[in-house]
Amino acid sequence: MSKDIPLQKYGFVKRDTPRKINLDPLQTGGILTPEANQALMEWGDGYSVCDYCAGILDEIKTPPIFDFIHKALPEFLGCDQARVTNGAREAKFAIMHSICKEGDWVVMDGNAHYSSLVAAERSRLNVKLVEKTPSPEYRIDPEGYGKAIEEIKESTGNVPSMALVTYPDGSYGNLPDVKAISRIVHSYGVPLLVNGAYAIGRMPFNAKDLGADFIAGSGHKSMASCGPIGVLGVSNEYAPKVLERSKFNKNKEIESLGCTARGATIMTMIASFPSVYERTKPENWQKEIENARWFSSELENMGMRQLGDRPHNHDLMFFETPVFYEISKKADRYFLYRELKSRSIHGIKPGLTKFFKLSTFGVGRENLGMVVDAFKEIIQKYEA
Amino acid sequence: MSKDIPLQKYGFVKRDTPRKINLDPLQTGGILTPEANQALMEWGDGYSVCDYCAGILDEIKTPPIFDFIHKALPEFLGCDQARVTNGAREAKFAIMHSICKEGDWVVMDGNAHYSSLVAAERSRLNVKLVEKTPSPEYRIDPEGYGKAIEEIKESTGNVPSMALVTYPDGSYGNLPDVKAISRIVHSYGVPLLVNGAYAIGRMPFNAKDLGADFIAGSGHKSMASCGPIGVLGVSNEYAPKVLERSKFNKNKEIESLGCTARGATIMTMIASFPSVYERTKPENWQKEIENARWFSSELENMGMRQLGDRPHNHDLMFFETPVFYEISKKADRYFLYRELKSRSIHGIKPGLTKFFKLSTFGVGRENLGMVVDAFKEIIQKYEA
């Protein structure tokens, strides 16, 4: 038996980061709604939703998991079949692992999230990246997919078994032309996986409209859910492979290992769903874009520079900030983090001053104004 | 964009199962401690623990995730290296997928949980089961592992690449002789994975004492954690393979896809850890065994029969209940469920009357006495 474990540092731990204004791209879309907070307390116990489970998570009628997964989610995502997973990366892995064979090739955009690369690596696939254009745009040219597929075909004799595009990417918040990419990869018979971890739950999204065969989304990143939880969408064409059931137990899907997001994670996703549905309506998303553009222009007026798509079409933005870098040479590299923390503004990585990314999602014009004012004050203070 | 989704059934949903007394084996070890409930509200937001993350979840110093995963957990589990996963099944899959090659064989006990079989299937392995003894014992004879390995060796020319044993199993709560199994499989050079989903967090457990090379445990099943979360333990010998890092990103482990239990799941596990540590002490576990044995003898006095290990050494027990089956012929198969529900007792699957499994873990002698009295009342009522 174990002994001598100092226990006093465990137990309940307070969260000491300022949470008044949070600009961390990982966090803005995952902040729980009041309904989700209520659901947490109700469904927090380990297997709480399994009270009436007859062996298949997504067929639980009470609470309404069946209706959510089989009716609301496919409609919301614009796909034939949907499932909940333990996250977007787990959805991507499940899709690659079931569709591709060891040694196959997959083509991805050069802005792909590291977890897409690791999902391919875990599936033992070869990865070819479609180059992004140079700074400051970092765009993905749809024609690059055709070129990559041709190159793979030439060197291996076969087309890749999948293409993936990140919509938008997690560095610049760029929205590539997925429809064009879909047309190109489909012309080679290659199916397309859209990683929508920063789209689904934030903005209008429809798998069929985009031409996606598979989609992955993130509950804790963009659907106001307690993590880890994600969503997987698949067309009827590919569903038999991705959702194949076990030969050992006919109730259990192989790629989900039989059961995924149970308890608090699925119930917070359901709790937040009406709000998430509302916030992704085109008119509400338009306000978020306007806020992002306004914020970007204010920062540019202070001598910073927003990279990526211009005008920008997403809340996630990357800024070059020479004005702060110059100050850091006189002060130290943590001055910006300290100054923002003292103003209860969080989300720019400690130590970054030359460039940083942030998200304006759900922060609101008033709070964004406070951030703009804070930046002005900080610049004045150190330039004085 | 989606339309016409009836939203009124989503949002906050109340949990209407009686929770005064819960005997569901899935639930008894996963009920949150008061500290975990507090942690839920504090850390419920999607990526809440990532505020100070520099790229590696298990190296986050604030909150104390690094100390928990690298110090407390290995000591508690008796293993060299530990990680948190999205559940015990995800730990088993990660271990099999990294250690075994497609087409390899794995030997498992005939009481293995379905998720062990599905994890092997997802890893594209062949499975050979060690038969259990017939009813009423359902024991696993350690010699069966030697026999199974010999048979595989004979037919394929190679020994299996892994053996797995379930300690205890989820049907009968039997505790096989893992040390003897370990000696046998190690004599063939086969490494051993112990599935401790119903042990770790409930009872004394030490991987090295058991002779385990790998272990899997469940946070939502047995460590009073908000799921999905599990623990993975591995010896230094096998850690380089199981915990191998990505060639694309040196901070990210391949089998975890870079990051696993973040937010509320890890923080509730940490919050409950002092209590979980306490309840697994031999003297406290001994009280649980005494309660289970007392409860079993009370049911046997009413004409039911406990299968599996006798005397029993775990809170999870399987009963044959002809007395209830006879009543169901006169009443209907849901009478027992209804009668128990009206007494606020939950956890025996609706419709079961001929046999059922339950768990007495943490229920306490007073509440167990109420269950015994309820059974007596129900029998009297229907036999009158």
Side-chain angles (χ1 to χ4, degrees):
Chain A
M1 187 55 198
S2 50
K3 52 189 178 310
D4 294 337
I5 301 179
L7 295 172
Q8 67 284 355
K9 74 174 68 168
Y10 309 116
F12 172 71
V13 180
K14 267 203 76 63
R15 187 175 173 195
D16 74 345
T17 38
R19 277 175 281 168
K20 198 175 157 202
I21 299 179
N22 195 331
L23 305 170
D24 187 337
L26 283 179
Q27 311 252 9
T28 52
I31 295 168
L32 298 186
T33 59
E35 294 78 15
N37 271 313
Q38 222 186 331
L40 259 189
M41 295 314 290
E42 190 82 357
W43 300 92
D45 296 328
Y47 274 92
S48 59
V49 305
C50 310
D51 281 335
Y52 302 123
C53 181
I56 306 181
L57 171 77
D58 58 79
E59 294 191 0
I60 293 174
K61 303 286 196 306
T62 307
I65 295 176
F66 176 84
D67 283 347
F68 180 68
I69 294 182
H70 290 277
K71 296 178 186 170
L73 263 187
E75 182 70 32
F76 180 65
L77 301 169
C79 60
D80 293 328
Q81 307 268 348
R83 289 292 185 275
V84 288
T85 65
N86 289 328
R89 66 190 71 200
E90 286 80 3
K92 290 182 284 187
F93 174 67
I95 292 162
M96 292 181 195
H97 188 251
S98 57
I99 296 293
C100 312
K101 289 192 309 294
E102 248 186 80
D104 281 358
W105 282 81
V106 55
V107 173
M108 292 183 198
D109 57 293
N111 285 330
H113 191 252
Y114 81 81
S115 65
S116 298
L117 292 154
V118 178
E121 189 175 12
R122 193 185 192 195
S123 304
R124 294 158 189 163
L125 307 178
N126 297 296
V127 177
K128 189 171 190 83
L129 294 179
V130 173
E131 265 183 56
K132 53 192 164 195
T133 63
S135 184
E137 287 192 312
Y138 301 110
R139 278 194 317 109
I140 299 298
D141 178 5
E143 299 297 335
Y145 279 82
K147 198 170 147 247
I149 292 171
E150 288 287 357
E151 285 168 5
I152 292 168
K153 208 173 147 188
E154 192 156 329
S155 67
T156 71
N158 294 305
V159 296
S161 52
M162 189 174 293
L164 178 149
V165 61
T166 317
Y167 177 83
D169 70 278
S171 294
Y172 311 105
N174 282 355
L175 288 163
D177 186 348
V178 176
K179 288 184 198 183
I181 294 168
S182 171
R183 276 193 301 271
I184 291 169
V185 305
H186 283 162
S187 75
Y188 289 95
V190 174
L192 181 65
L193 164 56
V194 175
N195 176 14
Y198 278 110
I200 294 164
R202 294 165 108 101
M203 57 182 278
F205 185 97
N206 187 294
K208 284 190 183 165
D209 289 353
L210 291 170
D213 302 281
F214 320 97
I215 55 167
S218 171
H220 42 274
K221 203 174 244 171
S222 300
M223 297 176 79
S225 307
C226 177
I229 186 168
V231 294
L232 175 158
V234 59
S235 68
N236 282 334
E237 181 181 355
Y238 292 99
K241 273 197 160 178
V242 175
L243 309 179
E244 187 185 347
R245 293 199 178 187
S246 170
K247 65 182 176 191
F248 297 113
N249 187 323
K250 65 176 175 24
N251 282 339
K252 305 296 182 179
E253 290 172 5
I254 298 169
E255 286 299 331
S256 71
L257 294 171
C259 190
T260 59
R262 27 177 142 45
T265 56
I266 177 71
M267 293 312 295
T268 54
M269 182 177 274
I270 288 176
S272 287
F273 184 66
S275 301
V276 165
Y277 178 84
E278 184 66 24
R279 76 191 192 186
T280 59
K281 284 184 175 166
E283 61 272 28
N284 291 323
W285 175 241
Q286 193 52 42
K287 285 180 211 149
E288 291 292 339
I289 294 179
E290 282 159 19
N291 284 348
R293 290 178 180 177
W294 175 81
F295 184 80
S296 174
S297 70
E298 289 290 317
L299 264 58
E300 297 215 323
N301 289 341
M302 284 180 253
M304 303 178 232
R305 183 189 190 200
Q306 185 237 306
L307 309 188
D309 289 345
R310 294 172 64 93
H312 209 61
N313 300 306
H314 195 270
D315 57 273
L316 196 162
M317 291 178 286
F318 189 99
F319 291 93
E320 268 183 359
T321 54
V323 53
F324 290 130
Y325 181 60
E326 290 306 316
I327 296 172
S328 78
K329 291 182 188 168
K330 294 182 287 183
D332 69 294
R333 59 192 284 247
Y334 291 99
F335 86 96
L336 182 61
Y337 176 72
R338 275 196 314 273
E339 291 286 350
L340 291 173
K341 188 172 181 180
S342 75
R343 290 166 176 85
S344 219
I345 298 169
H346 189 80
I348 293 174
K349 278 208 187 304
L352 290 185
T353 60
K354 208 169 184 172
F355 48 78
F356 49 69
K357 61 179 182 178
L358 51 74
S359 158
T360 55
F361 187 71
V363 179
R365 187 68 70 98
E366 191 183 338
N367 281 338
L368 290 175
M370 288 170 65
V371 178
V372 167
D373 291 344
F375 281 161
K376 285 180 185 162
E377 274 174 37
I378 294 166
I379 292 170
Q380 274 180 352
K381 176 175 167 181
Y382 284 88
E383 287 193 337
Chain B
M1 187 56 197
S2 50
K3 54 192 176 302
D4 293 336
I5 300 179
L7 295 172
Q8 67 285 355
K9 72 174 71 170
Y10 309 115
F12 172 71
V13 180
K14 267 204 76 64
R15 187 175 173 195
D16 73 345
T17 38
R19 275 176 282 167
K20 198 175 156 202
I21 299 179
N22 196 330
L23 305 171
D24 187 336
L26 283 179
Q27 311 253 9
T28 53
I31 295 168
L32 298 186
T33 59
E35 294 78 16
N37 271 312
Q38 220 185 332
L40 260 188
M41 296 314 291
E42 190 82 358
W43 299 92
D45 296 329
Y47 273 91
S48 59
V49 306
C50 309
D51 281 333
Y52 300 122
C53 182
I56 306 181
L57 171 77
D58 59 80
E59 294 190 0
I60 293 175
K61 304 286 196 307
T62 306
I65 295 176
F66 176 83
D67 284 347
F68 180 68
I69 294 181
H70 290 278
K71 295 177 185 170
L73 263 188
E75 182 70 32
F76 180 64
L77 301 169
C79 60
D80 293 329
Q81 306 268 349
R83 290 292 184 274
V84 288
T85 65
N86 288 328
R89 65 191 72 201
E90 286 79 4
K92 289 182 286 187
F93 175 67
I95 292 163
M96 292 182 195
H97 189 250
S98 57
I99 296 292
C100 312
K101 291 192 308 292
E102 248 186 80
D104 280 359
W105 282 82
V106 55
V107 174
M108 290 183 198
D109 57 294
N111 285 329
H113 192 252
Y114 81 81
S115 65
S116 298
L117 291 154
V118 178
E121 189 174 11
R122 193 185 192 195
S123 303
R124 294 157 189 164
L125 307 178
N126 297 297
V127 176
K128 189 171 191 79
L129 293 180
V130 174
E131 266 183 54
K132 53 192 163 195
T133 63
S135 180
E137 286 192 313
Y138 301 109
R139 278 194 316 110
I140 299 299
D141 178 5
E143 298 297 334
Y145 279 83
K147 199 170 147 247
I149 292 171
E150 288 287 355
E151 286 168 6
I152 292 168
K153 208 172 146 188
E154 193 156 328
S155 68
T156 71
N158 293 305
V159 296
S161 51
M162 188 173 293
L164 178 149
V165 60
T166 317
Y167 178 83
D169 70 278
S171 294
Y172 310 105
N174 282 355
L175 289 163
D177 186 348
V178 177
K179 287 184 198 184
I181 293 168
S182 171
R183 275 193 301 271
I184 291 169
V185 305
H186 283 161
S187 75
Y188 290 94
V190 175
L192 181 65
L193 163 55
V194 176
N195 175 13
Y198 277 112
I200 293 165
R202 294 166 108 100
M203 58 182 277
F205 184 97
N206 187 294
K208 284 191 183 164
D209 289 352
L210 291 171
D213 302 282
F214 319 97
I215 55 169
S218 171
H220 42 274
K221 203 175 245 172
S222 301
M223 297 176 80
S225 306
C226 177
I229 185 168
V231 295
L232 175 159
V234 59
S235 67
N236 281 335
E237 181 180 356
Y238 292 99
K241 273 195 158 178
V242 175
L243 309 179
E244 187 184 346
R245 293 198 178 187
S246 169
K247 66 182 175 192
F248 297 113
N249 186 323
K250 65 176 175 26
N251 282 340
K252 305 296 182 180
E253 291 174 5
I254 298 169
E255 286 298 332
S256 72
L257 294 170
C259 190
T260 60
R262 25 176 142 47
T265 58
I266 177 72
M267 293 312 294
T268 54
M269 182 177 273
I270 289 176
S272 288
F273 184 67
S275 301
V276 165
Y277 177 84
E278 184 65 23
R279 76 190 191 186
T280 60
K281 284 184 175 167
E283 61 270 29
N284 291 324
W285 175 240
Q286 192 52 41
K287 285 179 211 148
E288 292 291 340
I289 293 179
E290 282 159 22
N291 283 348
R293 289 178 180 177
W294 174 81
F295 185 80
S296 174
S297 70
E298 289 290 316
L299 264 59
E300 297 216 323
N301 289 339
M302 284 181 252
M304 301 177 232
R305 185 190 188 199
Q306 185 238 307
L307 308 187
D309 290 344
R310 295 172 63 92
H312 209 62
N313 300 307
H314 194 271
D315 58 273
L316 195 163
M317 291 178 286
F318 189 97
F319 291 94
E320 267 182 2
T321 55
V323 55
F324 290 130
Y325 182 60
E326 289 306 314
I327 296 172
S328 77
K329 291 181 188 169
K330 295 182 289 185
D332 69 295
R333 59 190 286 245
Y334 292 99
F335 85 96
L336 182 61
Y337 176 72
R338 276 196 315 272
E339 292 286 350
L340 291 173
K341 187 171 181 179
S342 75
R343 289 168 176 84
S344 219
I345 297 169
H346 189 81
I348 293 173
K349 278 208 187 304
L352 291 186
T353 61
K354 208 168 183 174
F355 48 77
F356 48 71
K357 62 179 182 177
L358 52 74
S359 157
T360 55
F361 188 71
V363 180
R365 187 66 71 96
E366 191 183 337
N367 281 338
L368 290 175
M370 289 169 64
V371 178
V372 167
D373 290 345
F375 281 162
K376 284 180 186 162
E377 274 173 37
I378 295 165
I379 292 171
Q380 276 180 352
K381 176 175 168 182
Y382 285 88
E383 288 193 337

